[in-house]
Amino acid sequence: MNNENVFFNPGDAISSSHDYKEARRSAQIIKADKPTAGQIIIAKNAKNGTYAIYLAENARDEKHGEPYKITDKL
């Protein structure tokens, strides 16, 4: 498991779920559908524990986003 923290705007999430396996499955489907879209990150919200899927390029700085802990990269 990755201990890297990153900041995202929750409104930029491609998908979200309370279940990691469901979030990973959604990320795999998104990656298969658009393989050139860039790196996809599955991150866990530090406040509410929800898993969200983001494009890595949508990362923010700590002043403009909420903290997430990266759990997987595709």
Side-chain angles (χ1 to χ4, degrees):
M1 188 165 317
N2 195 330
N3 289 327
E4 185 179 354
N5 288 316
V6 70
F7 294 85
F8 287 108
N9 177 349
D12 290 339
I14 297 169
S15 178
S16 65
S17 175
H18 289 285
D19 180 47
Y20 172 74
K21 289 182 181 179
E22 184 178 322
R24 174 118 170 102
R25 189 173 30 239
S26 294
Q28 289 171 328
I29 291 169
I30 292 164
K31 188 67 173 178
D33 189 41
K34 297 182 181 183
T36 60
Q39 187 175 44
I40 294 177
I41 294 176
I42 302 172
K44 186 174 184 179
N45 186 301
K47 294 180 182 177
N48 64 20
T50 302
Y51 292 96
I53 300 167
Y54 291 98
L55 290 175
E57 63 197 35
N58 287 340
R60 307 285 179 169
D61 62 32
E62 61 185 72
K63 295 178 183 174
H64 297 99
E66 287 191 29
Y68 286 83
K69 184 168 291 292
I70 295 177
T71 56
D72 205 353
K73 296 179 181 181
L74 300 173

